[in-house]
Amino acid sequence: MKTGKYDENRLLHLLLDMGEMLLASGAEINRVEDTLQRIGRAYGAAKMNVFVITSSIVITMEKTDGELLTHTRRINYTGSTDFTMLEQLNALSRNCCINPIPLEQFHRRLQEIAEPKTRWELYVGSILAAGSFAVFFGGTFADGIVAALVGVLICFIQEKITGLFANTIMFNLFISFIVGAVICLTVRVLPVLNMDKIMIGDIMLLIPGIPATNSIRDMLMGDTISGLMRLIESILWAGALACGFMAAIWMVRV
Amino acid sequence: MKDVILQLVMAFVGSLGFALLFRLRQSLWVSASLGGVICWGGYLLAMYFSGGQIFISGLAASALAAVYADFLAARKRAPVPLFLIPSVVPLIPGSTLYYTMSAAVQGNTEEVSHYGSLTLQYALSIAGGICIVWTILSIFRRYYVLRTNRIK
């Protein structure tokens, strides 16, 4: 495909958008680098140098006439995992590699994929996950129901006031304290419930188990920097969760 | 036995919950949640045969989940994490993390280190099992590509 300088800048801009969306939707570092590289080649780059870590993307494109073009983006936004988006981006990249569509159309497809979606799945998912894991780890069905109700509260808090906090650590500290206090008070009123099982069910919703697993996997697969960053982040988040819950248990002793 | 069936059912519902939370496409819900059942079933079997060794059992279970996810991803032409993440969810050490915390509140250092090391073992075993499977699969794929190229 024959392109002018303007088009190449535009392409790199779109690739950065796509990389940012891929990272937010929960793709592995490997996948992001690979996808951006392939699309760049499909649009006529002689060589693509893509470097992705969790907080930044750098792309250098080498054109067929030897000219180099570099774009960089700082990634601040940590989105919630969105597998539908990941799947659509994957399909788009596969399409573009076989048949490089015009950049205008590429841009429109990206905008379509980024459109906000319905929220009910998040609530139903929280109810199912919190309730079933409370029973899974040995609680009674009553424990499961309480854990599910608290799961709705967690989802509500996550949706409404995440934006008020400077970072995820502060947010986790806050939400785990609220959730811990609510559970402690409920168990105080209804002593037949098992506090530990209810808390475990709701911790499963908050615990950064997936980022922690991904980070170790990234490191073992060779992306050491990203792996370390994510690992330390998830340890800090888990630490904040533990502090919040401990403060709640300590203050509202049953 | 009744406990095992209850756990497997709850593993299914729990994985389904996470599939919804992570906005998985509706037509993939059942196959992804079955991964949770397979993973936990594998864990229980491995616990039985290894005499209760958590690290080995977690490794075997997450490796099983990785094989299942890879198989489904190839069949349904979708990225691997879509199936892998909901499948390994039952192995996430939420309960041992809680007991670590509650021991810390009570000031019981012995229990803190006991449960803390369990939490770490679970986390490492999940990632380890996945990596072992991926390494083996990628060797096979490369070998296959090399062979087909030579025939051409």
Side-chain angles (χ1 to χ4, degrees):
Chain A
M1 202 167 87
K2 192 91 177 129
T3 49
K5 179 141 182 126
Y6 172 75
D7 279 342
E8 270 140 7
N9 274 316
R10 177 117 198 254
L11 172 66
L12 284 187
H13 190 88
L14 288 177
L15 284 182
L16 285 174
D17 283 346
M18 189 171 191
E20 195 172 356
M21 282 162 74
L22 274 168
L23 275 180
S25 68
E28 316 95 300
I29 301 294
N30 242 332
R31 179 183 303 277
V32 181
E33 288 187 347
D34 195 56
T35 306
L36 299 185
Q37 227 157 36
R38 276 166 199 266
I39 297 180
R41 288 231 194 86
Y43 277 96
K47 214 172 178 189
M48 288 291 285
N49 277 294
V50 183
F51 176 66
V52 179
I53 54 177
T54 40
S55 59
S56 137
I57 303 178
V58 181
I59 306 180
T60 298
M61 181 176 173
E62 196 176 323
K63 298 200 289 187
T64 36
D65 58 8
E67 200 188 329
L68 294 171
L69 206 62
T70 302
H71 280 217
T72 306
R73 183 165 304 172
R74 169 83 165 99
I75 309 290
N76 278 320
Y77 170 72
T78 48
S80 55
T81 312
D82 185 337
F83 283 154
T84 307
M85 197 195 225
L86 176 58
E87 205 181 2
Q88 285 170 336
L89 287 171
N90 206 51
L92 175 63
S93 104
R94 208 177 284 172
N95 270 343
C96 284
C97 286
I98 300 167
N99 168 33
I101 55 177
L103 293 184
E104 195 52 50
Q105 208 179 329
F106 192 5
H107 187 196
R108 230 175 328 166
R109 283 287 300 143
L110 279 183
Q111 278 177 331
E112 276 168 28
I113 294 173
E115 264 169 24
K117 302 185 185 91
T118 52
R119 318 283 316 184
W120 66 268
E121 287 111 330
L122 300 185
Y123 282 95
V124 178
S126 297
I127 291 173
L128 290 180
S132 62
F133 278 115
V135 179
F136 179 83
F137 285 112
T140 60
F141 279 101
D143 297 338
I145 291 168
V146 175
L149 289 178
V150 179
V152 175
L153 175 72
I154 291 176
C155 199
F156 182 76
I157 294 177
Q158 276 174 339
E159 192 176 350
K160 294 296 174 201
I161 54 176
T162 311
L164 295 183
F165 290 87
N167 56 40
T168 316
I169 297 174
M170 299 317 271
F171 178 71
N172 277 355
L173 205 59
F174 170 79
I175 195 171
S176 57
F177 179 75
I178 297 287
V179 168
V182 167
I183 294 174
C184 284
L185 288 174
T186 316
V187 176
R188 236 186 194 189
V189 177
L190 299 164
V192 280
L193 298 169
N194 302 309
M195 188 176 81
D196 50 347
K197 309 299 181 200
I198 300 174
M199 283 216 184
I200 290 168
D202 288 312
I203 285 174
M204 289 297 277
L205 289 182
L206 297 169
I207 190 180
I210 301 301
T213 310
N214 278 343
S215 71
I216 298 173
R217 212 188 51 200
D218 276 341
M219 277 193 275
L220 293 179
M221 302 305 273
D223 293 308
T224 322
I225 300 178
S226 299
L228 273 178
M229 286 176 73
R230 261 195 199 155
L231 183 66
I232 289 176
E233 265 173 9
S234 43
I235 290 174
L236 286 175
W237 294 348
L241 284 180
C243 289
F245 276 111
M246 284 198 301
I249 297 171
W250 188 70
M251 287 170 82
V252 199
R253 245 177 239 271
V254 183
Chain B
M1 195 61 216
K2 215 175 130 196
D3 275 0
V4 171
I5 293 172
L6 182 69
Q7 278 185 5
L8 289 179
V9 172
M10 286 303 144
F12 182 87
V13 183
S15 294
L16 179 65
F18 271 92
L20 263 80
L21 262 179
F22 293 153
R23 296 183 176 284
L24 189 63
R25 179 151 58 85
Q26 201 161 349
S27 49
L28 301 177
W29 284 355
V30 174
S31 43
S33 318
L34 270 181
V37 178
I38 290 172
C39 179
W40 191 250
Y43 175 78
L44 290 177
L45 275 180
M47 277 298 259
Y48 179 75
F49 285 113
S50 69
Q53 294 210 25
I54 285 174
F55 184 75
I56 300 291
S57 311
L59 210 65
S62 76
L64 190 64
V67 171
Y68 176 77
D70 218 273
F71 168 74
L72 264 188
R75 240 190 93 166
K76 310 233 173 191
R77 296 181 154 277
V80 178
L82 269 60
F83 306 102
L84 185 61
I85 303 289
S87 301
V88 297
V89 155
L91 288 178
I92 290 176
S95 74
T96 52
L97 181 72
Y98 172 79
Y99 290 120
T100 315
M101 269 158 32
S102 89
V105 172
Q106 290 157 6
N108 188 339
T109 24
E110 235 169 75
E111 283 212 342
V112 171
S113 64
H114 170 68
Y115 283 114
S117 91
L118 283 185
T119 310
L120 222 83
Q121 282 183 43
Y122 272 115
L124 275 176
S125 71
I126 299 175
I130 294 170
C131 286
I132 291 171
V133 169
W134 280 4
T135 311
I136 294 173
L137 283 176
S138 84
I139 290 173
F140 272 120
R141 274 190 196 124
R142 275 177 202 197
Y143 174 72
Y144 183 74
V145 169
L146 283 180
R147 210 182 51 178
T148 41
N149 284 349
R150 206 176 300 152
I151 290 168
K152 270 180 198 165

